[in-house]
Amino acid sequence: MNNGQLAFEKPLVELRDKIAELRKFTQDKEIDLSEEIATLEEKARRLEGQIYGNLTTWQKVQIARHVSRPTTQDYIQHIFTDFIELHGDRLYGDDPAIIGGIAKFNGSPVTVIGHERGKDTKDKIARNFGLPHPEGYRKALRLMQQADKFNRPIICFVDTQGAHPGVEAEERGQSEAIARNLREMAGLRVPIICVVTGEGGSGGALAISVGNRLLMLENAYYSVISPEGAAAILWRDSTKAQEAAEALKITAQDLYSLGVVDKIIPEPKGGAHKDVTTQAHAIQEAIQEELTPLLSMKEEDLVLDRHRKFEKIGVFTTVGNG
């Protein structure tokens, strides 16, 4: 990747650079090259459609991991108003890999929570690249329980490679923190909307994904394990990540067809980082569309609705005695 350019985008970038050169040449030399420029622009439009209209699973994974892909902070800034960030799990400390607090969504109070992987190098290191420790998940649960107490809908943004795998995280109860979130989220009496905006990796993602509705951006992925991790296990060769990505069925389109995802949110051509404002508006509309019917449901029906969503996922078979 060069300046955020992905390898499969190189032909399109080179063509656009050529168009820019011709425009500059036309301006500097006062020579009319409008016909040649128009021809190249049409070629660029066709090439753009070919590239982004036929993305492989691995290419979508690359877009989901793009260095400039919007983070939870970007979406909070564009979608919500009056955001007040809340810190700490009241047990150990604050985890900057999880950001959350109270905000207004289209004028109504909500609780918003999400993974935050950071922007520049310093910020990424401070936020542990979006890999939460147990205190991050306990902070998220504290905010969700507060939302349940005060009858505020919960909106979660999922974007993590997974929970932090370090010794210190295990010492502080990483598995227990994730398992507790799964159990407690299942019984919350307020609407929960979860949006996978980038990477949705393993229990680290699932710990804030037990919602009434699960939405995914077009180029995001959601998986029990990263493609590299699956390749290392299946073939003992992490370089086979592309093959693993295809086999895992981790794209929004795959998961929608399997009934895991309720809605796919379209992205600008090339990915969410191409136009953050447009992307945020699309997310806002999708959340409102899914949230409106949930707001009219009784508390017990919301819990039942959530349970039924997960009961429908997967196929169960029993083997008889002959």
Side-chain angles (χ1 to χ4, degrees), residues 65-74 96-99 114-131 159-160:
R65 294 173 173 174
H66 197 281
V67 66
S68 300
R69 194 166 178 86
T71 69
T72 296
Q73 287 191 103
D74 294 315
I98 293 277
I99 184 173
H115 299 99
E116 180 53 50
R117 52 188 169 81
K119 290 290 188 182
D120 56 29
T121 302
K122 183 179 180 181
D123 192 26
K124 289 178 184 292
I125 293 172
R127 297 184 183 276
N128 199 34
F129 298 89
L131 307 179
D159 185 14
T160 183

Side-chain angles (χ1 to χ4, degrees), residues 14 31 33-34 38-39 43 61 77 111 113 246 280 289 301:
E14 291 178 345
I31 299 175
L33 297 174
S34 57
T39 300
K43 184 178 179 181
V61 169
Q77 179 182 351
T111 290
I113 301 165
E246 294 289 345
E289 184 177 337
D301 291 334

Side-chain angles (χ1 to χ4, degrees), residues 86-154:
L86 302 176
H87 298 273
D89 66 343
R90 301 299 185 266
L91 288 171
Y92 178 84
D94 186 47
D95 185 355
I98 293 277
I99 184 173
I102 305 167
K104 285 187 177 179
F105 176 74
N106 290 339
S108 299
V110 298
T111 290
V112 56
I113 301 165
H115 299 99
E116 180 53 50
R117 52 188 169 81
K119 290 290 188 182
D120 56 29
T121 302
K122 183 179 180 181
D123 192 26
K124 289 178 184 292
I125 293 172
R127 297 184 183 276
N128 199 34
F129 298 89
L131 307 179
H133 288 76
E135 52 270 23
Y137 294 119
R138 290 177 179 132
K139 173 170 69 173
L141 180 57
R142 181 174 74 84
L143 298 182
M144 287 188 275
Q145 290 171 333
Q146 182 195 71
D148 189 60
K149 178 178 180 180
F150 293 103
N151 197 33
R152 289 193 299 266
I154 300 167

